């Protein structure tokens, strides 16, 4: 509904400046951080197979798939760069809820989200430097700095608070889903509103390519797990984690560090 509102009447979200957008993402990451402990990070190492498959899908297969689809549909260079950017960002926090609804492994979903969220701090700038920089001008150092400011620092603060004052965090924890959903809704609406005209002008070809990126990526994650003899539940969880992306973070990076306005459009559509 927020996306539809942003597309129909962009002025509804005009009050949400880039600074407010950045703060909203940081709050989202902080709300995730206070639900995590050091034991959660250790669990990443306890399930190396599915987590590794998801990580490689997220930061190797998905960016290359975005590049291939963009070129196959003969889209403009900035839009192709935007598709690669969508592929090279971390998994979205909503994937944990979707995993629960799909009867997947929620604990594994959280581990995968944590893994790709931490991975985005170094993988997204690396992909920006090695791949995106060959398509459009990009400030890869700026991407790295933004990843640390918006992702790493809020999560460290959240985990630290959880370690030092767990009772306070347990009091705050019931509010985290509400904060997460509210932040996500506002960020999605603002993302779409910020490039509503470009989305309309792009038409169905861009919509189809973005849908294919998510669908093919999710299917590949599923079948890779099945190929390596992991169970149906693990495969379903990996599919969701591979397909769903933190599109608001993609919009922020494109807004701050890419010279061409159109780079942010695929993330907004995503």
């Amino acid at each position: 509904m927020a996306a539809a509102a942003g597309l129909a009447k962009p002025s509804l979200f005009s009050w949400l400046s880039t600074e407010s957008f950045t703060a909203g993402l940081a709050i989202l990451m902080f709300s995730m951080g206070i639900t995590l402990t050091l034991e959660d990070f250790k669990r990443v190492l306890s399930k190396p197979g599915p987590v590794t498959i998801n990580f490689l899908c997220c930061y190797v297969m998905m960016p290359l798939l975005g590049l291939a689809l963009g070129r196959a549909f003969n889209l403009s260079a900035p839009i192709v760069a935007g598709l690669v950017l969508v592929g090279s960002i971390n998994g979205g926090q909503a994937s944990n809820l979707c995993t629960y609804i799909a009867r997947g492994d929620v604990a594994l979903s959280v581990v995968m989200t944590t893994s790709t969220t931490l991975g985005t701090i170094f993988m997204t700038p690396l992909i920006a430097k090695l791949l995106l920089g060959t398509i459009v001008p990009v400030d890869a150092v700026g991407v790295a700095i933004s990843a640390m400011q918006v992702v790493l620092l809020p999560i460290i603060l959240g985990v630290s608070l959880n370690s030092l004052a767990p009772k306070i965090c347990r009091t705050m924890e019931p509010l985290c889903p509400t904060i997460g959903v509210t932040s996500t809704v506002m960020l999605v609406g603002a993302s779409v509103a910020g490039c509503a005209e470009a989305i309309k002008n792009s038409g169905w070809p861009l919509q189809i390519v973005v849908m294919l990126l998510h669908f093919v990526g999710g299917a590949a994650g599923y079948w890779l797990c099945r190929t390596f003899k992991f169970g149906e539940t693990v495969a379903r969880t990996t599919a969701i984690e591979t397909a769903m992306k933190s599109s608001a973070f993609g919009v922020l990076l494109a807004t701050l560090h890419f010279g061409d306005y159109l780079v942010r459009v695929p993330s907004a559509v995503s």
Side-chain angles (χ1 to χ4, degrees):
M1 289 178 66
L7 193 62
K9 196 171 183 181
S11 60
L12 287 174
F13 296 91
S14 59
W15 58 272
L16 198 62
S17 64
T18 302
E19 291 75 18
S20 301
F21 195 97
T22 304
L25 265 176
I27 290 170
L28 187 60
M29 292 300 170
F30 177 76
S31 70
M32 176 183 172
I34 65 171
T35 66
L36 298 174
T37 66
L38 294 177
E39 289 301 315
D40 292 315
F41 295 98
K42 292 178 182 177
R43 285 172 57 205
V44 173
L45 302 176
S46 70
K47 296 184 178 180
V51 173
T52 300
I53 289 174
N54 174 242
F55 195 91
L56 291 176
C57 284
C58 184
Y59 292 117
V60 178
M61 181 198 70
M62 290 291 278
L64 293 176
L65 178 60
L67 178 64
L69 287 171
R71 289 184 171 169
F73 279 75
N74 198 29
L75 300 177
S76 66
I79 295 295
V80 173
L83 288 167
V84 175
L85 180 62
V86 170
S88 64
I89 53 180
N90 55 298
Q93 282 65 46
S95 61
N96 306 143
L97 175 61
C98 290
T99 298
Y100 173 77
I101 294 171
R103 298 184 180 181
D105 186 332
V106 178
L108 178 61
S109 173
V110 172
V111 170
M112 287 179 171
T113 301
T114 304
S115 160
T116 57
T117 299
L118 294 176
T120 201
I121 297 161
F122 56 90
M123 290 302 297
T124 303
L126 181 64
I127 293 167
K129 178 68 175 178
L130 297 180
L131 186 56
L132 286 170
T134 66
I135 305 172
V136 293
V138 55
D139 178 11
V141 174
V143 171
I145 292 171
S146 290
M148 287 187 282
Q149 291 175 336
V150 178
V151 178
L152 182 61
L153 185 58
I155 286 180
I156 288 177
L157 289 174
V159 173
S160 299
L161 182 62
N162 198 8
S163 299
L164 297 172
K167 289 184 179 179
I168 293 176
C169 289
R170 296 295 76 76
T171 303
M172 296 170 61
E173 199 169 303
L175 297 174
C176 288
T178 303
I179 292 171
V181 170
T182 303
S183 298
T184 300
V185 167
M186 298 307 297
L187 292 170
V188 167
S191 299
V192 173
C195 44
E197 197 60 35
I199 292 173
K200 293 175 184 176
N201 292 337
S202 297
W204 279 108
L206 178 59
Q207 306 288 331
I208 292 169
V209 169
V210 171
M211 284 190 288
L212 282 173
L213 176 62
H214 292 294
F215 177 78
V216 175
Y222 177 91
W223 287 110
L224 274 171
C225 278
R226 297 300 283 165
T227 299
F228 284 96
K229 309 300 182 184
F230 291 107
E232 168 67 24
T233 303
V234 170
R236 194 184 310 133
T237 303
T238 305
I240 294 169
E241 286 294 325
T242 301
M244 297 189 69
K245 294 287 191 170
S246 182
S247 55
F249 186 48
V251 170
L252 179 65
L253 292 180
T255 301
L256 293 177
H257 306 299
F258 288 78
D260 198 305
Y261 163 84
L262 291 175
V263 175
R264 73 187 75 172
V265 176
S267 290
V269 172
S270 172

